[in-house]
Structures are given as structure tokens and as C-alpha cells.
Amino acid sequence: MSAEPLLDDSSSTLIYHGYIGCAPLYPTAAISLRTLAAYRQIHWSSQVKSLCFLHDTPYRPYLNAQFSAAYDIYLEILHHMKQRHRAALNHDTLNWCMLNSCPACFYKLEDEPVLEFDWLVSIDSNNNLKRWNSTIYGSNPRIDSRKARSDYWIDTCDVDRFKDEVQTRERDTNDDNWEDETIAAEGTTPAFSCRLEKKMFSVFDESGIFIAACRHRFVVLACDMIWSRELAKYPLAIIDKLLAVYGKNGGCTYDIGCTFSKTLTNSSLGMRARELDFRLMVGAFHGHAHNRKCQLDWHPMYIPGTGHTEGEGCEHIFSSSNELARSTRHASPFHRRQTIKEHFSFWDTDKYTTLSNFIWNHYREALNSIQTLTAELAVIKAELSLTDDDLVQFLKDECDYLDGLKLPPVRDQLCIHYVEEINNALAQARIRVDSSYAKLQHAEGLVAHIETQLAVDQRWEIGGPEYRHFKEEASLGKYRTALDELERLVVMRLFELSKLSLSGTGYKLRQQLGKALQRRSDAIRNAINRYNTQAAALNPPRSKISWKDITDYGFVAEFDLLAWSKPGHREATTKFFKLCRAREEITRLNVEVRRLRTTIHDEEHHMLTVIQKLQVSDPHLGCELQRQHCSCVAINAMHCYCLNHIESLTGFSGVRGVGVRADRTADHGMFE
């Protein structure tokens, strides 16, 4: 063995011994070269290939099967150990995992402030975790009779109970315009495009997953989507389970919650959902792609009790689970479900580790919002001589106004149609060509028919009061339609731009978003032209909009085209409701801080009691629980440190100390 050379700095000494320091001059930690080599290998190859690299062994394909078999056995051992742990801790009762998945959401205490929503979840689907039907390759399907076990999954049979709940119906023209119209492939008809979609889903045995998550992003429930797109039966099955376990006063965000609310109302769950005061809403991100009327009714900012709940927890989960796609696409049903379940388990463990930090960040954000908005709102209200009641009334007035825009009274619709047909008949009469004579006769016949419906004895004169009034109404209707379409396209463009900047967005998704954005830009230009045409036709004309104006908009609050209210009033109204939600967030966070602290105290007491008993009755199991308890103690110590910081904040208004759980039967023997 050669003598160690004379080295004049710590970095060189570390390199000599096979380590790289984490700082250039005075490193306090170092990583071995072998670990870094393994990390580099793992990042471009599979786990088996990485193991071969570490052991200087050539890779052979059969090693994958051997590794998979050993891993299955390992997980089976862990499952049986987990079952024994749960039995010892009395955690093996029905729905225990759902009732205790998130302590901040579900660990209810005595003498808590009354919250508008007792529980808040988000639901959504994701089609990245598909699984190919192996028969499409002409090969026999792999037989694997094993059933993956999971606390998250709803069985397919329970989902199919709702498959006939909703009958196919035509789209209601009064529905909120929440998505683009389906565009068929170039050179195809919509019916052919629909057949292509059915054929596409037929090549997958599972076409994706549908999940539910709490507001702290813990996964609560999941189910497979089988041979289909996102059908109504999947959210219905999820909501059925949520209502059965969590009960009344629940809130649920869904990216199409506005339209799905009608489906829920007409289903067998409709009456139970109303009795339990279940409330659907649209997530904060997706809500900005809906029209303004939909936002006022369904966006969390305008719904009392939501606080700063964004309602997009599922999107955070999917951004992580999308990494599993390449391993689940060709897996067996057992291994696909096993992979997703393991990922969700690690995800929930990470969420618990960062739970106190989540509460800390939201508490500081809410306090800062209250301080800033209170000062800004006081200035605006003083300048405009407004009160809080005025701001609430502004929102109600806007809702009433937009409700009135949906459809005018039937007679007004006929009058507007009558004026348009008179103009059409005049236009055809001026052309004076043979091809237009039939159109003129048709227009005159239609005008006569409308006159009969309206009981008009004498045809309205061009320029008469009735004619002028409803001609202006027709122009306003076209203007409002153009305005609504332009606003919708702009906010959807902003949403796609925000997704393009996400670091976890894959290449294919970025390509699709880029193409969609390019199409949206062309659509926005056309919408601008239509808007400017209709704006110029009004009396007096409204100001025109250029492409530069649109590209300068950064968020929806800046997209202020509606002329029914003053900009200052709109700004004050927006700040007022943001302030209301910030105050609600503080109330909910005060509850969550005490819940988390009480959970840590109760579990610590319960765990030590069980370990003491097992040291006599089952020493091996007691030793394993003791080992796991050491890891929990370290995490809980970090939580307590963070909770202490929250309680030391100047604006903290909650109750300090440990509480008492309200329903001890939910502990399922924790304190027996």
C-alpha cells in the first residue's frame, strides 16, 4: 500500500480517499465517488442494470424476471409485517386509513371553531398511467391471478354500479362553456373522429386512473378507468365513498365541477349529497379557463369557507406519478397496481414529513395577505366612498347581470330574430338576381311567420322605435358573445403558458401544449377581429383591442373588458373577497395546527403503550415497532419545532397546546 501523498487542502484529501466534498474550501459533508457513479448509472438505466454495474457483472435480460420475483416476495413480507403492526395498534378496522390519512384534515378535536366545510378534497383523472392490451401485438396475454392489495383503491365492481346512472344527452346550450369544442382530425367527420377515439381506448385495458386527494395533497382514494375516457361513473363512485366515510359538510373541487353538478344531482347520489350539504366547485387554476359567470358561481375565491384552498392537489400528484408511465404501460395488472400503490405510499409519507411546513407557509402567506389587502382596501374604499356591503352587492349585481345575458325573454328573442330577418329580406331584395329571389321569398315567409307569433298587425318601419331598440339589442348580443369568446380564449392561453413553464412537464405534453397554444393564438386573432367588428357597430362604439393588448395580460384580473362596472369597483371587490378567504384560511389553519400537535401527542402515547405490551407478549414485533417509532419521533420533532414557530408568530390567533379528539371511536382502540 502506497503512502498517502502530502496534500495541502481538504478537497484533495477527500478525493484521495474516494470522496467529493460538498463545499469548495471547508466541506462539512462529502459523497463517495462510488455513490455518485451509482447515481449516474441509475439515471439512464434500469435498477437491474445499475446493480450489474455496481457488481461488475454483464447485464442479462433474465435478471429482470429474477429481480421482479424477489421484489414481489419482499413486498409480500412487508405487507404481512404491516398487517401485524396494524393489528397490534388497532389500525386494521374498516376505513381506518381514510379516517386517519391526514391528521390536519380528519383528526377532529373537541371545542373547535365551526368551519364552513368539515372536509375539503379534490378529484380528477389522469390518462398517463395506461396499460396496453397485450393481445394487440398478436401475443397471448400474460396470466397473473394475483390481486394487488391497496387501501386506496375502489373495486371495479363498485365503480360499475354507477355506469347506467347518467343517460346520454345532448349538450345544453345554456351550460357553462368550460372547454373547447372537439375538433375532428383534418379530413374526417366528427362521427369518424368519435370512432377513432373509441378505437384508441380499446387498445388499453386500463386507460388511466381517477383519484381523490385532501387539501394537503394526501391521496385518499383511487380507481382505474377501464377501456374508456373520463366517464361520470368514476367521480360518482369516488364521491359515494367520500360521503359514506366523511359524512356531511364536505367540499370537493373538480375541473368540470360546474357541469358535473347536474350529473350528480340527477344520479342516485343526488338526494344524499343535498342532505349532507356536499358542495362541488372548480379548482383555482382550472376555474380561470371557465367563463366569468362560471367563475362567480364555482371558483373557490367566491365560495365562503374555502380559505386559500386551491383545489388543484391532484395536479401536483399527477406531476409526480407521470414518471411511472414507462414502467406501467406494459406491466401486468398486478404489477401496475403494485407500482402505483407503492408510489402513492411514498408520496403520502413525504406529504406527512412536510405537513407542518405546508401549514407554516400558508399561515405566513395568509397573514401577509391580510395585512396587505386590509391596507389597500382601506385606501380604495376611502377614495370611492365604498363599504363592505357595497362590495358584496357589486358581486351580486354582476351575477344578476350575467344571468340576464344567458337568454333574453322569449318575446325579446323573437323580436331580435324579427329585426334580423327584416334586414335579411332587405339585403336579398337589393341583390335583384335570380338566385336570390328564392331566398327573398323564404325570408319574407319567415318574417310573416314571426309577425304571427308576435301578433304584429303592421310591419315595423325601418328606423322606428321598436326596430331601433331591438336592432341595438341584437348588436349588443353579438358584442357580448364576441367578448365572452375573447375572454375565454385569453385565459385558456394564460393557463397553457403556465403549464409550459412547469419543470415536470414531459416532452410530449409540451409538444401538445405548444400546438394547442399556436392554434389558440390564431383563434384569439380571429376573436379580436370579431370583437372589434361588433364593438365598432355599437352606438356609441366601444374601444378596440389589439393583439399587443392581449399579449400584455398576465392574469385574469387584468383582463378587464366588461363595461357594466367601473374598474375601481372591480378591483375593490376582488381584493375584498381575497381578504375574506385569507381570514378564513387563518381560522382553518388554527384548527389544523392544534390537530397536528394533538395527533403527535396521542400517537406518541399510544405507540409507547403498545410497545411496552409487545415487549412481553411479542418481543420481535415490539422491537420492529420500536425501530419504526424512532423514525416517527424524528419527523414529529421537526413538526413540533415548526408548530412552535407558527404559534410564536405575531398574528397567531389559535389555541395553543394539546386538545382532545372529538370522536374517540374513530381512534379504533387507540386509547384502550
Side-chain angles (χ1 to χ4, degrees), residues 15-29:
I15 284 290
Y16 177 80
H17 290 284
Y19 291 86
I20 294 180
C22 299
L25 297 179
Y26 306 106
T28 59

Side-chain angles (χ1 to χ4, degrees), residues 324-380:
L324 306 177
R326 64 179 182 180
S327 61
T328 60
R329 194 63 55 90
H330 301 284
S332 66
F334 171 79
H335 284 119
R336 173 183 173 274
R337 181 80 65 84
Q338 179 193 80
T339 301
I340 299 174
K341 181 258 181 184
E342 287 297 309
H343 176 83
F344 284 167
S345 296
F346 280 105
W347 172 270
D348 285 349
T349 301
D350 289 341
K351 293 302 106 178
Y352 179 76
T353 303
T354 59
L355 181 56
S356 59
N357 194 54
F358 179 97
I359 298 174
W360 161 259
N361 289 332
H362 277 241
Y363 212 109
R364 288 194 304 168
E365 178 187 351
L367 288 177
N368 291 335
S369 296
I370 291 174
Q371 182 179 2
T372 303
L373 292 172
T374 300
E376 294 176 350
L377 199 56
V379 174
I380 296 176

Side-chain angles (χ1 to χ4, degrees), residues 228-344:
S228 68
R229 54 183 173 84
E230 183 178 336
L231 300 179
K233 65 180 181 179
Y234 303 118
L236 286 175
I238 293 285
I239 291 174
D240 177 53
K241 185 69 172 180
L242 292 172
L243 294 176
V245 176
Y246 296 139
K248 64 180 181 179
N249 294 336
C252 177
T253 57
Y254 186 18
D255 55 2
I256 56 170
C258 48
T259 54
F260 181 74
S261 63
K262 298 179 181 179
T263 301
L264 178 63
T265 301
N266 296 328
S267 71
S268 60
L269 298 178
M271 183 175 295
R272 182 152 64 106
R274 287 192 298 272
E275 292 173 351
L276 295 174
D277 294 327
F278 181 73
R279 177 68 155 90
L280 278 169
M281 57 194 90
V282 178
F285 242 173
H286 286 88
H288 288 311
H290 296 224
N291 63 35
R292 178 62 179 170
K293 180 61 177 67
C294 178
Q295 292 181 31
L296 296 180
D297 291 336
W298 302 96
H299 196 281
M301 189 174 75
Y302 301 107
I303 299 176
T306 56
H308 282 173
T309 301
E310 60 177 13
E312 301 290 354
C314 293
E315 301 299 333
H316 292 271
I317 296 171
F318 294 147
S319 67
S320 175
S321 65
N322 287 344
E323 300 173 357
L324 306 177
R326 64 179 182 180
S327 61
T328 60
R329 194 63 55 90
H330 301 284
S332 66
F334 171 79
H335 284 119
R336 173 183 173 274
R337 181 80 65 84
Q338 179 193 80
T339 301
I340 299 174
K341 181 258 181 184
E342 287 297 309
H343 176 83
F344 284 167

Side-chain angles (χ1 to χ4, degrees), residues 273 341 521 636:
K341 181 258 181 184
S521 298
N636 289 337

Side-chain angles (χ1 to χ4, degrees), residues 191 452 550 607:
T452 302
I550 295 297
M607 182 71 77

Side-chain angles (χ1 to χ4, degrees), residues 536-551:
L538 294 179
N539 187 19
R542 301 291 168 84
S543 58
K544 292 186 177 183
I545 295 176
S546 66
W547 174 254
K548 183 179 181 300
D549 297 328
I550 295 297
T551 55

